């Protein structure tokens, strides 16, 4: 059973059709990387999976159940999908520990003591055990993004989505965030990443998906897609990036 | 100058008492104004058209009328329906008036919070209500403090108009005093100094609060 399945997904913003019929399945433990030029619909696809955007047409299935945005409690749906944003979006009025515990305590109703224990464990995993009392404004971009990853993991999600998680970072800080994502991949976390880090995509991905103009135009194992892209558009895109 | 000192000392007791009334009037009306302002701001930001309409009508009417007209209108209007002391009638009228301005302050500060904050909260499974309560409003309140402090100073001074409802607050005490001593210039000057001192004290308090909150550098640096 797939963790996430998408069938015939369409999304329009006014006159602009951003997704023009996307089908996708993501299996348990799989790491899927989505590449493609900007405006190709990569981020919108992610945002439709947790209903930060509502698809105009098509089906989204999570763990074998179709999500009905009109009838289902989307808050419950989102609990199980971790998301990491390009601009971190940490809560600036809360310290690091509180950023990580606020959802488990207030959404899951977890005891603060238990939430703190989980949060400290996760902060240790992302290498920020000593920063739990700091406020986000005192952290570097790479540290902020690692806190954001810990925050999403604290809800114990079925899948983690990364929306250009390293695009806003200074080059020397990219590595520490990619390292954390790599650890997660090795730990068996199901993940879907939108990224421009092609070298990393090649290393970490089980499958690479190339999007352009609202369509998935090609998908393959990373070695194959990067070495022998079948589509002309993929070749052109890769030659521009490398 | 001697006349000033004379009036200052002669009316020290009634002016001190009246100062307390002014402070109570201001405190009560501003606490109510914050509640009204928050509700109206949320109405205005709501997707519900009816709530939008209520908020816009309220803000439009209140901002479009002089305070003294609202005071008289509300006083004579309310007193016909319920028995209220002039203190409470005045407090309510001041609150209704300041509420419109506080609503616009809150609306602005809520809208200034980056939408990414809401998206992050929703992506963690928080409901709209929890997102507002835990994430958006605490940050918005912090941003609202400087303009709110300004509005509170205006509210303190506006409370002087309640004297015309017969409340013996600071300006009311001055009205009575000058009718008694036939020295309006000196008497109003003394009353003015009382107001000035109150406003200065209040400004210092607001500044301290602002500095205290920014010391932790808890606001997000611009991305």
């Amino acid at each position: 059973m797939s963790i996430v399945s998408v069938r015939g997904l369409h999304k329009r913003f006014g006159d602009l059709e951003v997704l023009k019929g996307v089908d996708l399945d993501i299996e348990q433990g799989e790491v899927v990387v989505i590449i493609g030029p900007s405006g190709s619909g990569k981020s919108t696809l992610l945002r439709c999976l947790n209903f930060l955007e509502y698809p105009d047409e098509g089906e989204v299935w999570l763990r074998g159940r179709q999500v009905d945005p009109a009838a289902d409690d989307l808050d419950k749906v989102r609990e199980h999908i971790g998301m990491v944003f390009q601009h971190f979006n940490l809560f600036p009025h809360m310290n690091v520990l509180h950023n990580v515990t606020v959802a488990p305590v207030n959404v899951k109703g977890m005891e603060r003591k238990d939430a703190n224990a989980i949060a400290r464990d996760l902060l240790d995993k992302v290498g920020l055990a000593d920063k739990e009392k700091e406020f986000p404004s005192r952290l570097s971009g790479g540290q902020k993004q690692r806190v954001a990853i810990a925050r999403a993991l604290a809800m114990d999600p079925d899948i983690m989505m990364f929306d250009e998680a390293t695009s806003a970072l200074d080059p020397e800080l990219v590595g520490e965030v990619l390292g954390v994502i790599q650890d997660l991949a090795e730990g068996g976390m199901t993940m879907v990443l939108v990224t421009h880090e092609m070298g990393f995509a090649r290393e970490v991905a089980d499958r690479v998906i190339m999007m352009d103009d609202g369509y998935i135009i090609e998908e393959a194992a990373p070695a194959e897609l990067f070495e022998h892209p079948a589509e002309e558009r993929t070749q052109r895109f890769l030659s521009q990036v490398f | 100058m001697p006349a000033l000192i004379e009036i200052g000392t002669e009316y020290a007791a009634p002016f001190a008492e009246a100062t307390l009334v002014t402070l109570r009037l201001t405190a009560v009306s501003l606490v109510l104004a914050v509640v009204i302002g928050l509700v109206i701001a949320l109405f205005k930001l709501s997707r519900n058209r009816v709530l939008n309409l209520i908020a816009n009508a309220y803000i439009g009417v209140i901002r479009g009328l002089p305070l003294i007209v609202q005071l008289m209108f509300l006083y004579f209007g309310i007193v016909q329906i319920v028995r209220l002391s002039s203190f409470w009638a005045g407090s309510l009228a001041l609150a209704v008036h300041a509420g419109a301005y506080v609503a616009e302050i809150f609306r602005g500060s809520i809208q200034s919070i980056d939408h990414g904050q809401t998206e992050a909260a929703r992506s963690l499974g928080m409901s709209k209500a929890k997102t507002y309560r835990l994430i958006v409003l605490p940050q918005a309140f912090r941003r609202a403090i400087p303009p709110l402090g300004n509005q509170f100073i205006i509210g303190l001074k506006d409370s002087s108009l309640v004297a015309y409802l017969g409340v013996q607050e600071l300006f009311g005490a001055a009205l009575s005093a000058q009718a008694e001593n036939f020295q309006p210039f000196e008497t109003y000057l003394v009353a003015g100094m009382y107001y000035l001192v109150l406003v200065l004290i209040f400004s210092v308090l607001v500044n301290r609060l602002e500095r205290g909150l920014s010391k932790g550098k808890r606001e997000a640096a611009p991305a």
Side-chain angles (χ1 to χ4, degrees), chain A residues 47-211:
Chain A
R47 296 161 60 83
C48 283
L49 297 184
N50 68 350
F51 295 89
L52 283 183
E53 305 287 356
Y54 288 44
D56 292 309
E57 271 172 62
E59 299 172 358
V60 177
W61 294 68
L62 295 171
R63 286 194 167 282
R65 239 190 106 250
Q66 188 182 348
V67 180
D68 176 1
D72 289 344
D73 181 357
L74 293 179
D75 298 336
K76 275 266 172 269
V77 171
R78 293 191 190 101
E79 270 183 51
H80 301 288
I81 305 176
M83 185 156 193
V84 176
F85 299 86
Q86 181 177 1
H87 294 292
F88 331 126
N89 301 348
L90 291 184
F91 306 131
H93 58 304
M94 298 175 178
N95 67 23
V96 164
L97 187 69
H98 197 182
N99 261 280
V100 180
T101 58
V102 64
V105 169
N106 290 284
V107 176
K108 280 189 171 174
M110 196 182 282
E111 292 287 332
R112 180 160 296 282
K113 185 166 54 77
D114 301 334
N116 282 348
I118 290 172
R120 290 198 172 105
D121 188 41
L122 288 169
L123 287 172
D124 189 43
K125 278 199 182 123
V126 299
L128 293 170
D130 55 333
K131 299 285 185 194
E132 66 169 64
K133 294 235 156 52
E134 294 286 3
F135 280 85
S137 59
R138 303 185 59 100
L139 301 178
S140 72
Q143 290 170 333
K144 282 182 196 171
Q145 197 59 300
R146 286 186 282 152
V147 174
I149 293 171
R151 177 176 70 176
L153 289 172
M155 289 300 284
D156 193 20
D158 295 332
I159 178 170
M160 287 282 285
M161 306 199 295
F162 293 82
D163 188 7
E164 300 199 23
T166 58
S167 298
L169 296 176
D170 291 337
E172 76 271 20
L173 302 177
V174 169
E176 63 191 62
V177 173
L178 294 183
V180 168
I181 298 175
Q182 179 125 38
D183 288 347
L184 284 176
E186 282 160 14
M189 174 63 77
T190 311
M191 296 198 281
V192 47
L193 296 91
V194 168
T195 184
H196 295 292
E197 299 284 336
M198 295 303 159
F200 179 71
R202 194 167 180 156
E203 213 170 299
V204 78
D206 296 313
R207 182 158 48 117
V208 179
I209 288 175
M210 167 74 191
M211 283 188 75

Side-chain angles (χ1 to χ4, degrees), chain B residues 177-191:
Chain B
Q178 61 87 34
E180 200 175 280
N181 62 20
F182 303 111
Q183 290 178 297
F185 176 75
E186 289 82 356
T187 308
Y188 288 132
L189 197 57
V190 171

